[in-house]
Amino acid sequence: MISATHLHAMVIHFPIALLLIGFLSEVTGFVLKKTFFNKTAFYLLILGTFGTIASYLSGSSAGEGMEGGTLGKAIELHENAAVITLWLAIITSILYIVANWLKYSNKWIKVACVVLFASVICGVSRTAYLGGQLVYQHGAGVELALPDFNEK
């Protein structure tokens, strides 16, 4: 049976990859002025935002029941970073959708989009770092299994 912790670990890596590659594509398109990279970045941002929503929901389930002590504080930090990242991704996606729908080609709109996308990547990085600390420093979601010494 897949637990909420396992589901969160399986889901979370997709938006990280999608958003990071999307941002690199956006920067490449911005520098080289190639629309292919900008369109790719747009679709990866939208997919990454949906993945961020799924990751947040699975993470909420995975963190239930671990509110106390040092682990609870670490989970709270991770969850707060996840909320900020989620809203940054949603706001950035909305800005990109509006800019594409209305066909804005103003340079300052594009700069604002790239800066917002960069803030999403910063949020993802911070959230991922705190999530890594949960697992590797606090052992969250890790089940210790001792060998069966009675086995012949």
Side-chain angles (χ1 to χ4, degrees):
M1 177 88 177
I2 296 177
S3 69
T5 305
H6 290 112
L7 182 63
H8 183 62
M10 290 188 291
V11 170
I12 190 61
H13 295 94
F14 289 104
I16 293 171
L18 290 169
L19 292 170
L20 185 59
I21 299 301
F23 178 69
L24 294 174
S25 182
E26 182 64 37
V27 169
T28 303
F30 188 75
V31 171
L32 300 179
K33 299 187 183 354
K34 301 281 185 181
T35 58
F36 167 78
F37 291 107
N38 298 115
K39 287 181 182 179
T40 301
F42 173 73
Y43 292 119
L44 290 174
L45 172 64
I46 301 304
L47 288 172
T49 300
F50 283 121
T52 303
I53 293 167
S55 297
Y56 177 77
L57 294 174
S58 67
S60 292
S61 298
E64 286 181 8
M66 295 187 258
E67 286 87 20
T70 307
L71 180 60
K73 290 178 185 177
I75 287 176
E76 184 178 343
L77 281 174
H78 178 63
E79 186 175 1
N80 290 341
V83 168
I84 292 168
T85 303
L86 175 66
W87 283 110
L88 281 172
I90 290 170
I91 290 167
T92 304
S93 293
I94 290 170
L95 179 63
Y96 268 73
I97 289 168
V98 169
N100 281 329
W101 187 36
L102 298 177
K103 305 218 185 294
Y104 281 131
S105 59
N106 185 333
K107 181 181 178 181
W108 293 109
I109 298 284
K110 294 204 181 262
V111 168
C113 286
V114 171
V115 168
L116 262 176
F117 210 153
S119 68
V120 172
I121 297 305
C122 290
V124 165
S125 300
R126 172 97 173 122
T127 306
Y129 173 76
L130 293 170
Q133 275 192 325
L134 278 172
V135 174
Y136 295 109
Q137 186 176 355
H138 299 285
V142 176
E143 294 178 22
L144 298 177
L146 297 174
D148 186 10
F149 294 111
N150 295 326
E151 186 179 314
K152 292 183 182 182

